[in-house]
Amino acid sequence: MTKQDYLNLKNGTDVRGTATEGVAGDLVTLTDEAVTNIAKAFYAWACEKTGLPALTVAVGHDSRLSAKRLEGLVERAVVSCGGNVILTGLSSTPSMFMLLQDGFGADASVMLTASHLPYQKNGLKFFLKDGGLESGDISQVLERAYAGGFPQGCGKTERKNYLDKYADDLVNMVRNACGESEPLKGKKILVDAGNGAGGFYAELVLKPLGADTDGSQFLQPDGNFPNHIPNPENAEAMASVCAAVKTHGADFGIIFDTDVDRAGAVAKSGEEINRNRLIALISAVLLQERSGAYIVTDSVTSDGLTEFISAKGGIHHRFRRGYKNVINESKRLNAEGKYSPLAIETSGHAAFRENYFLDDGAYLITRLLIALAKCAKEGKELTELIADLPEPQEAAEFRLRFAAGCDFKTLGQNMIEELRKKAKALPYLTPAPVDHEGFRMNFDKEHGNGWALVRMSLHEPILPVNAESAVKGGNALIARELYELLKDYPFLDCGALTNFIKNN
């Protein structure tokens, strides 16, 4: 493998690639050689970072088909470097960080997952006791994987479960907050794990709290993901859990992604609590506890959410997409003395200051269940907390693809800067006062009565465009204006905009 082959496996703050054959044109990149050398490189890097001569590394995985192969490769790699290994088996990504805080006996951990990506994909997420690796750390690990020169030794392996303890801690968190052992008794709460790693939540968290979990679905781990993609952002997945809530008359529905670092929810009515609604709900809970808090979100959140957070006594702080970006921004605000209890993306990534700023879907849901139990005691529904959330009449995302082989990053950034200049000459457009990512513009009533955000994708040759309007038919007007602004760039395929305009 070349150095670039290794670097191509970088995906933000993770390593990801193709691990299973069977998809035409998608060649295996997480080969035995690649995984072995990356694991050895992480071990050597972590020894230097921690100053320890030898480490014990915990290794867990989600339900993917390639999990056992990768687990064996990582285990043998660490042992051959002189490190000890604890195999935790089926795990969630957040649990692999929490075990480092919990006297489990590990100095570092590796989680084998590719989140919601298709079945043939897999990856490696790395943790030390002070948190997950940053983007630059991943680059260093991958460069070392290519360079070689790893330590040698002979460690040992043991198997030890941690997920049960992690779940038990969540149960005790709810009991302590509610002052009773079964605060969810009388409530029907169902879980959709999408055949990922989140099925434990129904059996190990909800049932001990007294909840009726009948109607929960796809709890059994299956790396083929035969029912739907385990992804709260996927329309088919959300439709499935919403239908289950209505069919079974549940009081609350929960959906996790594959490795349980993201979550979505469903109201008693069968209406999804996702994206802006999910952020508003947990923000309302936190702002009841302490007003004046900064809620850090990604850039595509709505103006209605800003209005809602402000009305509840908080400050909405938009930042760049990427869960590490919002987490680090929230940490920065806290370091400046600005209380920020939450960093959250519309994707369902949520990290709490009180919980090590770990993005943990199960922790987010547990926080909401505490609020649900308290609302029930007062004779209220949980969704009453967001009854006054101003919501757009229309919301859409257009994914415009760059021409193959072009320098899309440079072309895209230059194009966005040109859009800023063009907007100054258009009286119906007003640039957003704060803009941390791409170009966000507001449209007047005659041209859509809403806003649009044009930005670069974090990893793909795509220009995502998000739009919201306060009126029916407003997004069609916004799409037409956007098309006029973007149509003359030969390297950009505006088909998603033209199709939307044609059909609306």
Side-chain angles (χ1 to χ4, degrees), residues 82-354:
N84 296 324
V85 173
I86 303 174
L87 299 177
T88 63
L90 186 72
S91 303
S92 72
T93 292
S95 73
M96 295 305 294
F97 170 75
M98 289 306 298
L99 62 79
L100 298 177
Q101 316 302 319
D102 208 16
F104 188 69
D107 306 297
S109 63
V110 181
M111 176 65 181
L112 304 173
T113 183
S115 187
H116 62 280
L117 294 183
Y119 77 92
Q120 76 272 20
K121 303 294 186 180
N122 212 330
L124 297 89
K125 290 187 177 182
F126 305 103
F127 294 101
L128 297 179
K129 289 185 178 181
D130 60 354
L133 272 61
E134 298 288 344
S135 175
D137 300 328
I138 296 295
S139 296
Q140 291 176 17
V141 169
L142 292 173
E143 288 171 359
R144 181 169 288 202
Y146 169 73
F150 309 116
Q152 294 185 341
C154 187
K156 60 183 181 180
T157 298
E158 64 175 311
R159 289 188 177 274
K160 187 164 60 168
N161 173 280
Y162 178 73
L163 199 58
D164 290 358
K165 169 64 167 57
Y166 168 83
D168 194 48
D169 287 344
L170 294 177
V171 170
N172 289 329
M173 172 182 160
V174 178
R175 286 174 174 166
N176 291 335
C178 296
E180 53 185 300
S181 63
E182 293 188 333
L184 299 180
K185 194 166 185 176
K187 294 293 183 183
K188 177 173 279 192
I189 301 174
L190 63 82
V191 175
D192 183 329
N195 301 111
F200 76 93
Y201 198 86
E203 190 70 27
L204 300 181
V205 180
L206 293 177
K207 284 187 178 180
L209 292 170
D212 175 358
T213 61
D214 288 349
S216 292
Q217 59 186 20
F218 318 138
L219 303 184
Q220 291 301 314
D222 184 342
N224 291 295
F225 306 131
N227 295 291
H228 62 66
I229 297 171
N231 181 7
E233 283 195 293
N234 178 264
E236 180 186 358
M238 282 304 303
S240 179
V241 68
C242 288
V245 167
K246 287 189 281 189
T247 297
H248 296 280
D251 296 289
F252 193 65
I254 300 162
I255 181 170
F256 293 118
D257 75 340
T258 319
D259 62 327
V260 203
D261 63 356
R262 292 190 295 127
V266 181
K268 186 176 183 178
S269 63
E271 186 178 7
E272 68 178 65
I273 304 173
N274 218 359
R275 299 179 65 82
N276 288 294
R277 302 187 86 231
L278 183 66
I279 297 171
L281 184 57
I282 189 58
S283 296
V285 171
L286 294 172
L287 290 167
Q288 282 181 339
E289 298 170 358
R290 179 171 171 177
S291 65
Y294 284 76
I295 306 297
V296 179
T297 76
D298 58 0
S299 58
V300 299
T301 46
S302 70
D303 291 339
L305 179 65
T306 303
E307 182 181 334
F308 176 85
I309 290 173
S310 178
K312 300 297 180 186
I315 301 159
H316 182 196
H317 185 91
R318 284 196 191 98
F319 200 62
R320 293 192 297 273
R321 293 207 86 182
Y323 70 95
K324 274 288 188 179
N325 289 330
V326 293
I327 288 171
N328 288 339
E329 179 67 2
S330 188
K331 287 180 177 179
R332 184 190 69 80
L333 291 172
N334 281 295
E336 291 182 354
K338 299 174 180 176
Y339 175 65
S340 178
L342 178 68
I344 184 168
E345 284 196 294
T346 49
S347 64
H349 276 291
F352 294 78
R353 171 177 163 154
E354 67 193 30

